[in-house]
Amino acid sequence: MPAGEDQPTPWGPLLTAEFLGTFFLVFAGCGAMLSNDITAGVVGHTTVGIVWGLVVMALIYAIGDISGCHINPAVTIAFWVAGRFPRRKVLPYLVTQFAGATAAALALRLLFPVPEGTDLGATIPSPDTSIAQLFILELLLTFLLMLVILGVSTGAKEKGITAAIAIGGTVGLEALFCGPITRASMNPARSLGPAVVSGDPLALSTLWVYLVATPLGAILAVVVYRYMRSASANTEG
């Protein structure tokens, strides 16, 4: 366990940071999607993808040194599996992240002039995407994201210029190329909040895929990263 991880830390600052981080992740990202809908496509898919990447970068700068800026249950679970994050903090982090995402979706419903039944940026796959395709794509997207996170994070904390650029860039990249297909969740909280608040039937019917595939992809990244690091160490030795 990295130095400092086993030291007592007040819950308030940690959970406040994770709540606000997940809130503004969903508020900005899904807000950009809603703005695009309201303006009949004036914002554009490219801008939406950039917004997702930029908000992650900004949040890492803001709270990375406080809570680690997980803002994603899949990341928290993967850090725990990797032995970088204590088990006692996992459930509080997960609950806080889901709460932050749900609060953001509620805020978007209240603040944006959208008709009843709008999906609020929920993760809804394209009509021609099968469940198997959706599952594999979200698993692979989260795998790549977590692989990058493991490479640039310090212990269980995403912090610093390198982490912000690399992780934010990866989120933006994946949102740009896979957003139209799966809406590039990579994050169970990001999927749950808008789906539950919007009540969109399609979002709710496919929600389980996002809740299962993303943590599995993150855990798989831990396994592969460990293997690559061990092979690298053996080669150097």
Short mmCIF file of all heavy atoms in Angstrom, two decimals, residues 10-57:
data_model
loop_
_atom_site.label_atom_id
_atom_site.label_comp_id
_atom_site.label_asym_id
_atom_site.label_seq_id
_atom_site.Cartn_x
_atom_site.Cartn_y
_atom_site.Cartn_z
N PRO A 10 -10.06 12.13 7.35
CA PRO A 10 -11.45 12.50 7.59
C PRO A 10 -12.32 12.15 6.39
O PRO A 10 -11.96 12.41 5.24
CB PRO A 10 -11.37 14.02 7.79
CG PRO A 10 -9.96 14.28 8.22
CD PRO A 10 -9.13 13.27 7.50
N TRP A 11 -13.49 11.55 6.67
CA TRP A 11 -14.38 11.13 5.59
C TRP A 11 -14.97 12.32 4.86
O TRP A 11 -15.20 12.26 3.65
CB TRP A 11 -15.50 10.26 6.15
CG TRP A 11 -15.08 8.87 6.50
CD1 TRP A 11 -14.88 8.36 7.75
CD2 TRP A 11 -14.80 7.81 5.59
NE1 TRP A 11 -14.49 7.05 7.67
CE2 TRP A 11 -14.44 6.67 6.36
CE3 TRP A 11 -14.82 7.70 4.21
CZ2 TRP A 11 -14.09 5.46 5.79
CZ3 TRP A 11 -14.48 6.49 3.62
CH2 TRP A 11 -14.12 5.39 4.42
N GLY A 12 -15.24 13.39 5.59
CA GLY A 12 -15.94 14.53 4.99
C GLY A 12 -15.30 15.07 3.73
O GLY A 12 -15.95 15.14 2.68
N PRO A 13 -14.02 15.46 3.78
CA PRO A 13 -13.38 16.00 2.57
C PRO A 13 -13.33 15.01 1.42
O PRO A 13 -13.54 15.39 0.26
CB PRO A 13 -11.97 16.37 3.06
CG PRO A 13 -12.12 16.58 4.53
CD PRO A 13 -13.16 15.60 4.97
N LEU A 14 -13.04 13.74 1.73
CA LEU A 14 -12.95 12.73 0.68
C LEU A 14 -14.28 12.56 -0.05
O LEU A 14 -14.35 12.59 -1.28
CB LEU A 14 -12.53 11.38 1.27
CG LEU A 14 -11.15 11.27 1.90
CD1 LEU A 14 -10.95 9.86 2.46
CD2 LEU A 14 -10.08 11.60 0.88
N LEU A 15 -15.34 12.37 0.72
CA LEU A 15 -16.64 12.10 0.12
C LEU A 15 -17.24 13.35 -0.53
O LEU A 15 -17.94 13.26 -1.55
CB LEU A 15 -17.60 11.51 1.16
CG LEU A 15 -17.13 10.19 1.79
CD1 LEU A 15 -18.21 9.63 2.72
CD2 LEU A 15 -16.76 9.16 0.72
N THR A 16 -16.96 14.50 0.05
CA THR A 16 -17.41 15.75 -0.57
C THR A 16 -16.76 15.91 -1.94
O THR A 16 -17.41 16.28 -2.93
CB THR A 16 -17.06 16.96 0.31
OG1 THR A 16 -17.74 16.84 1.56
CG2 THR A 16 -17.49 18.27 -0.36
N ALA A 17 -15.45 15.63 -2.02
CA ALA A 17 -14.74 15.74 -3.29
C ALA A 17 -15.29 14.76 -4.32
O ALA A 17 -15.49 15.12 -5.49
CB ALA A 17 -13.24 15.50 -3.07
N GLU A 18 -15.55 13.51 -3.89
CA GLU A 18 -16.06 12.53 -4.84
C GLU A 18 -17.49 12.86 -5.27
O GLU A 18 -17.85 12.66 -6.44
CB GLU A 18 -16.01 11.13 -4.22
CG GLU A 18 -14.64 10.50 -4.24
CD GLU A 18 -14.08 10.30 -5.63
OE1 GLU A 18 -14.73 9.62 -6.45
OE2 GLU A 18 -12.98 10.82 -5.92
N PHE A 19 -18.29 13.37 -4.36
CA PHE A 19 -19.66 13.77 -4.72
C PHE A 19 -19.63 14.90 -5.74
O PHE A 19 -20.29 14.84 -6.79
CB PHE A 19 -20.44 14.20 -3.48
CG PHE A 19 -21.84 14.65 -3.78
CD1 PHE A 19 -22.89 13.75 -3.82
CD2 PHE A 19 -22.11 15.99 -4.04
CE1 PHE A 19 -24.19 14.16 -4.11
CE2 PHE A 19 -23.40 16.42 -4.33
CZ PHE A 19 -24.44 15.50 -4.36
N LEU A 20 -18.87 15.95 -5.43
CA LEU A 20 -18.81 17.10 -6.34
C LEU A 20 -18.17 16.72 -7.67
O LEU A 20 -18.61 17.18 -8.74
CB LEU A 20 -18.02 18.24 -5.69
CG LEU A 20 -18.70 18.93 -4.50
CD1 LEU A 20 -17.75 19.96 -3.89
CD2 LEU A 20 -20.00 19.60 -4.95
N GLY A 21 -17.14 15.89 -7.61
CA GLY A 21 -16.49 15.47 -8.84
C GLY A 21 -17.42 14.71 -9.76
O GLY A 21 -17.51 15.00 -10.96
N THR A 22 -18.14 13.74 -9.21
CA THR A 22 -19.07 12.96 -10.04
C THR A 22 -20.24 13.82 -10.49
O THR A 22 -20.74 13.67 -11.60
CB THR A 22 -19.57 11.73 -9.26
OG1 THR A 22 -18.47 11.08 -8.61
CG2 THR A 22 -20.22 10.74 -10.22
N PHE A 23 -20.68 14.73 -9.60
CA PHE A 23 -21.76 15.64 -9.97
C PHE A 23 -21.38 16.46 -11.20
O PHE A 23 -22.12 16.51 -12.20
CB PHE A 23 -22.07 16.58 -8.80
CG PHE A 23 -23.13 17.61 -9.11
CD1 PHE A 23 -24.46 17.35 -8.82
CD2 PHE A 23 -22.79 18.82 -9.70
CE1 PHE A 23 -25.44 18.29 -9.11
CE2 PHE A 23 -23.76 19.77 -9.99
CZ PHE A 23 -25.09 19.50 -9.70
N PHE A 24 -20.21 17.11 -11.15
CA PHE A 24 -19.84 17.99 -12.26
C PHE A 24 -19.42 17.22 -13.50
O PHE A 24 -19.54 17.73 -14.63
CB PHE A 24 -18.76 18.97 -11.82
CG PHE A 24 -19.31 20.10 -11.00
CD1 PHE A 24 -19.06 20.19 -9.65
CD2 PHE A 24 -20.13 21.06 -11.59
CE1 PHE A 24 -19.60 21.23 -8.89
CE2 PHE A 24 -20.68 22.09 -10.84
CZ PHE A 24 -20.41 22.19 -9.49
N LEU A 25 -18.95 15.99 -13.34
CA LEU A 25 -18.69 15.14 -14.50
C LEU A 25 -19.97 14.94 -15.30
O LEU A 25 -20.01 15.17 -16.51
CB LEU A 25 -18.14 13.79 -14.05
CG LEU A 25 -18.01 12.73 -15.14
CD1 LEU A 25 -16.88 13.06 -16.09
CD2 LEU A 25 -17.82 11.33 -14.53
N VAL A 26 -21.02 14.50 -14.61
CA VAL A 26 -22.30 14.23 -15.28
C VAL A 26 -22.98 15.53 -15.70
O VAL A 26 -23.56 15.62 -16.79
CB VAL A 26 -23.21 13.39 -14.37
CG1 VAL A 26 -24.60 13.22 -14.97
CG2 VAL A 26 -22.57 12.02 -14.12
N PHE A 27 -22.91 16.54 -14.84
CA PHE A 27 -23.56 17.82 -15.15
C PHE A 27 -22.98 18.44 -16.42
O PHE A 27 -23.72 18.91 -17.29
CB PHE A 27 -23.39 18.77 -13.98
CG PHE A 27 -24.16 20.05 -14.12
CD1 PHE A 27 -25.53 20.09 -13.90
CD2 PHE A 27 -23.52 21.23 -14.48
CE1 PHE A 27 -26.25 21.26 -14.04
CE2 PHE A 27 -24.23 22.42 -14.61
CZ PHE A 27 -25.60 22.43 -14.40
N ALA A 28 -21.65 18.43 -16.55
CA ALA A 28 -21.03 19.02 -17.73
C ALA A 28 -21.18 18.13 -18.96
O ALA A 28 -21.57 18.60 -20.04
CB ALA A 28 -19.55 19.29 -17.46
N GLY A 29 -20.87 16.84 -18.81
CA GLY A 29 -20.93 15.94 -19.96
C GLY A 29 -22.33 15.76 -20.51
O GLY A 29 -22.59 15.94 -21.71
N CYS A 30 -23.26 15.39 -19.63
CA CYS A 30 -24.64 15.21 -20.07
C CYS A 30 -25.28 16.56 -20.40
O CYS A 30 -26.15 16.64 -21.27
CB CYS A 30 -25.45 14.48 -19.00
SG CYS A 30 -24.98 12.75 -18.78
N GLY A 31 -24.82 17.62 -19.74
CA GLY A 31 -25.31 18.95 -20.07
C GLY A 31 -24.95 19.34 -21.48
O GLY A 31 -25.75 19.96 -22.20
N ALA A 32 -23.74 18.98 -21.92
CA ALA A 32 -23.34 19.24 -23.30
C ALA A 32 -24.22 18.46 -24.28
O ALA A 32 -24.60 18.98 -25.34
CB ALA A 32 -21.87 18.87 -23.50
N MET A 33 -24.57 17.23 -23.91
CA MET A 33 -25.44 16.42 -24.76
C MET A 33 -26.84 17.04 -24.85
O MET A 33 -27.45 17.10 -25.92
CB MET A 33 -25.51 14.99 -24.22
CG MET A 33 -24.18 14.27 -24.26
SD MET A 33 -24.18 12.68 -23.37
CE MET A 33 -25.19 11.70 -24.48
N LEU A 34 -27.34 17.54 -23.72
CA LEU A 34 -28.65 18.20 -23.72
C LEU A 34 -28.61 19.49 -24.52
O LEU A 34 -29.55 19.81 -25.27
CB LEU A 34 -29.10 18.48 -22.29
CG LEU A 34 -29.60 17.29 -21.48
CD1 LEU A 34 -29.93 17.72 -20.06
CD2 LEU A 34 -30.83 16.67 -22.13
N SER A 35 -27.54 20.25 -24.38
CA SER A 35 -27.40 21.48 -25.16
C SER A 35 -27.41 21.17 -26.65
O SER A 35 -27.99 21.92 -27.45
CB SER A 35 -26.09 22.19 -24.79
OG SER A 35 -26.11 22.64 -23.46
N ASN A 36 -26.77 20.08 -27.02
CA ASN A 36 -26.76 19.67 -28.42
C ASN A 36 -28.17 19.34 -28.91
O ASN A 36 -28.57 19.70 -30.02
CB ASN A 36 -25.84 18.47 -28.62
CG ASN A 36 -25.58 18.17 -30.08
OD1 ASN A 36 -25.22 19.05 -30.85
ND2 ASN A 36 -25.77 16.92 -30.46
N ASP A 37 -28.96 18.67 -28.06
CA ASP A 37 -30.34 18.34 -28.42
C ASP A 37 -31.20 19.59 -28.52
O ASP A 37 -31.99 19.75 -29.46
CB ASP A 37 -30.94 17.38 -27.39
CG ASP A 37 -30.30 15.99 -27.43
OD1 ASP A 37 -29.68 15.66 -28.46
OD2 ASP A 37 -30.40 15.27 -26.42
N ILE A 38 -31.05 20.48 -27.54
CA ILE A 38 -31.87 21.69 -27.50
C ILE A 38 -31.60 22.59 -28.70
O ILE A 38 -32.51 23.21 -29.25
CB ILE A 38 -31.61 22.46 -26.18
CG1 ILE A 38 -32.15 21.66 -24.99
CG2 ILE A 38 -32.26 23.85 -26.22
CD1 ILE A 38 -31.71 22.20 -23.65
N THR A 39 -30.33 22.64 -29.11
CA THR A 39 -29.96 23.52 -30.23
C THR A 39 -30.00 22.80 -31.57
O THR A 39 -29.49 23.31 -32.57
CB THR A 39 -28.54 24.08 -30.01
OG1 THR A 39 -27.61 22.99 -29.92
CG2 THR A 39 -28.47 24.91 -28.74
N ALA A 40 -30.60 21.62 -31.60
CA ALA A 40 -30.73 20.85 -32.85
C ALA A 40 -29.38 20.57 -33.50
O ALA A 40 -29.22 20.69 -34.71
CB ALA A 40 -31.66 21.57 -33.82
N GLY A 41 -28.41 20.21 -32.68
CA GLY A 41 -27.12 19.79 -33.21
C GLY A 41 -26.09 20.88 -33.39
O GLY A 41 -25.01 20.62 -33.94
N VAL A 42 -26.38 22.10 -32.93
CA VAL A 42 -25.42 23.19 -33.08
C VAL A 42 -24.12 22.90 -32.31
O VAL A 42 -23.03 23.20 -32.78
CB VAL A 42 -26.03 24.54 -32.60
CG1 VAL A 42 -24.95 25.61 -32.53
CG2 VAL A 42 -27.15 24.96 -33.54
N VAL A 43 -24.24 22.33 -31.13
CA VAL A 43 -23.05 22.02 -30.32
C VAL A 43 -22.18 20.99 -31.03
O VAL A 43 -20.97 21.15 -31.16
CB VAL A 43 -23.46 21.51 -28.92
CG1 VAL A 43 -22.24 21.03 -28.15
CG2 VAL A 43 -24.19 22.60 -28.16
N GLY A 44 -22.78 19.92 -31.50
CA GLY A 44 -22.06 18.92 -32.28
C GLY A 44 -21.43 17.82 -31.45
O GLY A 44 -21.03 18.04 -30.31
N HIS A 45 -21.32 16.64 -32.07
CA HIS A 45 -20.77 15.48 -31.37
C HIS A 45 -19.33 15.71 -30.96
O HIS A 45 -18.92 15.32 -29.86
CB HIS A 45 -20.88 14.24 -32.25
CG HIS A 45 -20.07 13.09 -31.76
ND1 HIS A 45 -20.33 12.45 -30.56
CD2 HIS A 45 -18.97 12.47 -32.27
CE1 HIS A 45 -19.44 11.49 -30.36
NE2 HIS A 45 -18.60 11.49 -31.38
N THR A 46 -18.54 16.35 -31.81
CA THR A 46 -17.13 16.57 -31.50
C THR A 46 -16.98 17.41 -30.24
O THR A 46 -16.18 17.09 -29.35
CB THR A 46 -16.41 17.26 -32.67
OG1 THR A 46 -16.50 16.43 -33.83
CG2 THR A 46 -14.95 17.51 -32.33
N THR A 47 -17.77 18.47 -30.14
CA THR A 47 -17.71 19.32 -28.95
C THR A 47 -18.12 18.57 -27.71
O THR A 47 -17.52 18.72 -26.64
CB THR A 47 -18.61 20.56 -29.13
OG1 THR A 47 -18.19 21.27 -30.29
CG2 THR A 47 -18.54 21.47 -27.92
N VAL A 48 -19.15 17.73 -27.83
CA VAL A 48 -19.59 16.94 -26.68
C VAL A 48 -18.46 16.04 -26.20
O VAL A 48 -18.19 15.94 -24.99
CB VAL A 48 -20.83 16.10 -27.04
CG1 VAL A 48 -21.15 15.09 -25.93
CG2 VAL A 48 -22.03 17.00 -27.30
N GLY A 49 -17.78 15.38 -27.13
CA GLY A 49 -16.67 14.52 -26.75
C GLY A 49 -15.55 15.29 -26.06
O GLY A 49 -14.96 14.83 -25.08
N ILE A 50 -15.27 16.47 -26.56
CA ILE A 50 -14.23 17.31 -25.97
C ILE A 50 -14.63 17.73 -24.55
O ILE A 50 -13.79 17.78 -23.64
CB ILE A 50 -13.96 18.54 -26.85
CG1 ILE A 50 -13.30 18.10 -28.17
CG2 ILE A 50 -13.07 19.55 -26.13
CD1 ILE A 50 -13.16 19.21 -29.19
N VAL A 51 -15.91 18.05 -24.36
CA VAL A 51 -16.39 18.45 -23.04
C VAL A 51 -16.15 17.34 -22.02
O VAL A 51 -15.68 17.59 -20.90
CB VAL A 51 -17.88 18.84 -23.08
CG1 VAL A 51 -18.46 18.95 -21.66
CG2 VAL A 51 -18.08 20.14 -23.82
N TRP A 52 -16.46 16.10 -22.40
CA TRP A 52 -16.24 14.98 -21.48
C TRP A 52 -14.76 14.89 -21.08
O TRP A 52 -14.42 14.69 -19.91
CB TRP A 52 -16.68 13.66 -22.10
CG TRP A 52 -18.15 13.42 -22.06
CD1 TRP A 52 -19.03 13.47 -23.11
CD2 TRP A 52 -18.93 13.07 -20.91
NE1 TRP A 52 -20.29 13.19 -22.68
CE2 TRP A 52 -20.27 12.94 -21.34
CE3 TRP A 52 -18.63 12.87 -19.57
CZ2 TRP A 52 -21.31 12.60 -20.47
CZ3 TRP A 52 -19.67 12.53 -18.69
CH2 TRP A 52 -20.98 12.40 -19.14
N GLY A 53 -13.87 15.06 -22.05
CA GLY A 53 -12.45 14.99 -21.73
C GLY A 53 -11.98 16.16 -20.89
O GLY A 53 -11.22 15.98 -19.94
N LEU A 54 -12.46 17.37 -21.21
CA LEU A 54 -12.03 18.56 -20.49
C LEU A 54 -12.51 18.57 -19.04
O LEU A 54 -11.78 19.00 -18.14
CB LEU A 54 -12.51 19.82 -21.21
CG LEU A 54 -11.80 20.17 -22.52
CD1 LEU A 54 -12.43 21.42 -23.14
CD2 LEU A 54 -10.31 20.38 -22.30
N VAL A 55 -13.75 18.11 -18.81
CA VAL A 55 -14.25 18.14 -17.43
C VAL A 55 -13.46 17.16 -16.56
O VAL A 55 -13.18 17.43 -15.39
CB VAL A 55 -15.76 17.87 -17.37
CG1 VAL A 55 -16.11 16.43 -17.72
CG2 VAL A 55 -16.30 18.21 -15.97
N VAL A 56 -13.07 16.02 -17.13
CA VAL A 56 -12.23 15.08 -16.38
C VAL A 56 -10.88 15.71 -16.05
O VAL A 56 -10.39 15.61 -14.92
CB VAL A 56 -12.05 13.76 -17.16
CG1 VAL A 56 -10.98 12.88 -16.51
CG2 VAL A 56 -13.37 13.00 -17.24
N MET A 57 -10.28 16.37 -17.02
CA MET A 57 -9.01 17.05 -16.78
C MET A 57 -9.15 18.09 -15.66
O MET A 57 -8.32 18.13 -14.73
CB MET A 57 -8.53 17.74 -18.06
CG MET A 57 -8.08 16.80 -19.14
SD MET A 57 -7.61 17.67 -20.67
CE MET A 57 -6.22 18.62 -20.09
#
